[in-house]
Amino acid sequence: DISHSIPVMITQLSSIRSFYNTHATLPYAFRKQQLLALKKAVTDHEEAIYAALRTDLHKSREECWVTENGFLLAELDHAIRSLSEWMQPEKVRTNLLNFPSASYIRHEPAGVALIIGPWNYPLQLSLAPLVGAIAAGNCAVLKPSEFAPATAAVIQQIIETAFSPDYILCVQGDGASIIGGMMQDFVFDHVFYTGGAVTGKKIYSMAAEKLVPVTLELGGKSPCIVESDADIEVAAKRIVMTKFSNAGQMCVAPDYILVHASRKEALITAMKEKILRFFGGDMEHTEHYGRIINEKQFDRILRYLQDGKIIAGGRHHRESLFIEPTLLEYMTPDAVVMQEEIFGPVLPVIPFDDNDQALQVIHKHPDPLAFYVFTQSHKKEKYWLDAVPSGGACINNASWHLTNPHLPFGGRGTSGMGAYHGRFSFDTFSRKRAVMKTPVWFDPSIKYPPFKGKLPLFKWLMKRG
């Protein structure tokens, strides 16, 4: 019973706070040791990770490595190599008014962080933020998704193998009850949530009541523009690969395609060919194509097939949670598939004759998490980047920007707030503290009362910054 576990959790959270207050997490040596411990635990559980993700989402070992544990290990390696540099105080200029002081910015941990993971990439999207929290010197509570139970169990094993529960705690169970209970009775210093917007708003509201800062990694309808001058073969390969990875259950997957009318048939033909080449003719029985996470999501996605004409795919099997990669056309503007984030293997294809037509579609769901443009024109590239604000973007690619640790990953507006990956994860879980150090050997009387007659000098000093 969740109601009986909340008091126990609050006691555990108090122990975490007490441990954080010892300042044991601050030294470089401690942080690096914890990152190495996490890396070892993930590596040691490699086979268990493959098995769990196969159970939850029917992922192949290769897909797991690229998108889950391999991705996570790359993030860990980057943090381990860069940690010393990230922790260095940042020297900044001091204005004339404060001469001869020295000024710098300290990167200090937020404190005790709550990290809430989703079910679509249940390992990587739970543990990658934890890398940033550890690197920044925090303690953390991790809540993996209960909708990917096999992976959540492996995450629990990894956390318990690597860390003391007074430092990093993994909690399981019904998310709404557990998260609500913890946030009501304990004040976290940062909340990091990845998932849907509806739950994100609830978490944001709970955090706001206690003035707790949040990072929200949400989603949205990420558009993909295929221009008249696009390389159709390359566009088809890169769209199909990312759209149907994890059976389309990816927050940065292209949600719909806007293709110049002159290239529509060529793109559809190419995408059909790539779907067959990548996944074979018997996709339901291949190990290299995923499954829908549960029946609720299956039924939601299946309804979208009624919203347009199926021009490729459409086969499905509820018992095995299989939905074939599907292309749709002739959707009405008010069709549900064009109103909600699809988050599944269904891809609407919409032709446009001029840019205004395309923008009318995009502007119905502004500030997408990602935006993709296929063009060989620098002028068109600039036009679309200027015209469509988004969390991230790719030119002649789709979704792969999130694998570059030197780029911030995050949304804007309805697709989220805040960013992470690489140094940006460290910054997300840090607080920038301004420090000014002033020597005692120089102490002019002009700084002290009485101030009468000093106004012209004050103006001169302030003007020179």
Side-chain angles (χ1 to χ4, degrees), residues 296-414:
K296 177 182 177 182
Q297 295 298 322
F298 179 93
D299 294 339
R300 177 188 63 81
I301 297 166
L302 198 64
R303 288 195 292 270
Y304 296 143
L305 303 187
Q306 306 169 14
D307 287 348
K309 178 184 176 183
I310 296 174
I311 52 177
R315 290 182 296 179
H316 54 274
H317 190 217
R318 194 170 192 269
E319 284 70 23
S320 62
L321 298 174
F322 165 78
I323 299 179
E324 191 176 24
T326 301
L327 305 179
L328 287 183
E329 66 176 352
Y330 302 134
M331 293 70 53
T332 61
D334 59 348
V336 178
V337 74
M338 293 306 299
Q339 304 304 317
E340 301 174 351
E341 182 181 9
I342 295 171
F343 220 71
V346 179
L347 183 58
V349 182
I350 305 165
F352 70 93
D353 292 303
D354 58 64
N355 294 348
D356 287 341
Q357 280 184 326
L359 289 173
Q360 285 177 12
V361 177
I362 295 171
H363 287 164
K364 291 179 180 178
H365 302 280
D367 296 327
L369 180 59
F371 177 51
Y372 308 121
V373 181
F374 287 85
T375 180
Q376 299 184 69
S377 162
H378 292 297
K379 182 178 179 181
K380 290 179 179 180
E381 170 188 329
K382 183 179 185 305
Y383 170 83
W384 286 114
L385 289 176
D386 289 344
V388 182
S390 66
C394 291
I395 307 300
N396 294 322
N397 209 337
S399 307
W400 282 88
H401 60 296
L402 66 84
T403 65
N404 183 353
H406 304 288
L407 287 174
F409 177 75
R412 56 176 288 159
T414 55

Side-chain angles (χ1 to χ4, degrees), residues 127-317:
L127 295 182
L130 181 63
V131 173
I134 292 171
N138 298 272
C139 293
V141 177
L142 181 63
K143 171 61 180 75
S145 174
E146 66 270 31
F147 298 115
T151 309
V154 175
I155 290 173
Q156 180 102 36
Q157 293 169 13
I158 289 170
I159 296 301
E160 291 180 351
T161 297
F163 308 118
S164 161
D166 289 342
Y167 170 51
I168 308 290
L169 177 68
C170 183
V171 297
Q172 304 280 7
D174 176 69
S177 300
I178 291 175
I179 295 166
M182 288 192 298
M183 292 185 69
Q184 179 178 342
D185 296 330
F186 183 83
V187 180
F188 290 96
D189 299 296
H190 194 98
V191 176
F192 190 108
Y193 167 79
T194 304
V198 173
T199 301
K201 289 179 181 178
K202 294 177 182 177
I203 289 169
Y204 192 16
S205 177
M206 287 188 287
E209 288 184 4
K210 298 184 179 180
L211 299 178
V212 176
V214 300
T215 300
L216 299 177
E217 297 293 341
L218 307 178
K221 296 188 74 63
S222 296
C224 179
I225 298 284
V226 179
E227 267 285 6
S228 59
D229 65 335
D231 185 316
I232 293 299
E233 279 295 301
V234 170
K237 284 191 293 187
R238 295 176 182 177
I239 292 169
V240 167
M241 178 182 63
T242 53
K243 172 61 183 181
F244 299 113
S245 174
N246 201 30
Q249 298 165 115
M250 183 198 302
C251 60
V252 291
D255 194 87
Y256 58 94
I257 294 176
L258 287 160
V259 56
H260 193 274
S262 65
R263 311 306 301 278
K264 176 189 170 186
E265 294 307 320
L267 180 67
I268 289 173
T269 299
M271 288 197 297
K272 288 179 179 179
E273 189 269 325
K274 300 303 179 288
I275 290 170
L276 276 175
R277 186 197 301 181
F278 294 168
F279 305 111
D282 187 11
M283 296 171 218
E284 184 173 1
H285 300 104
T286 178
E287 66 178 53
H288 295 288
Y289 181 71
R291 294 291 181 272
I292 308 306
I293 186 70
N294 55 39
E295 291 180 349
K296 177 182 177 182
Q297 295 298 322
F298 179 93
D299 294 339
R300 177 188 63 81
I301 297 166
L302 198 64
R303 288 195 292 270
Y304 296 143
L305 303 187
Q306 306 169 14
D307 287 348
K309 178 184 176 183
I310 296 174
I311 52 177
R315 290 182 296 179
H316 54 274
H317 190 217

Side-chain angles (χ1 to χ4, degrees), residues 85-94 101-107 423 432-436:
E85 175 189 344
W86 293 348
M87 289 180 63
Q88 295 304 310
E90 180 184 343
K91 294 181 180 179
V92 297
R93 290 180 56 190
T94 303
S101 302
S103 302
Y104 61 96
I105 298 169
R106 279 172 55 101
H107 304 284
R423 172 63 190 258
K432 293 190 175 184
R433 184 180 186 185
V435 179
M436 190 170 74

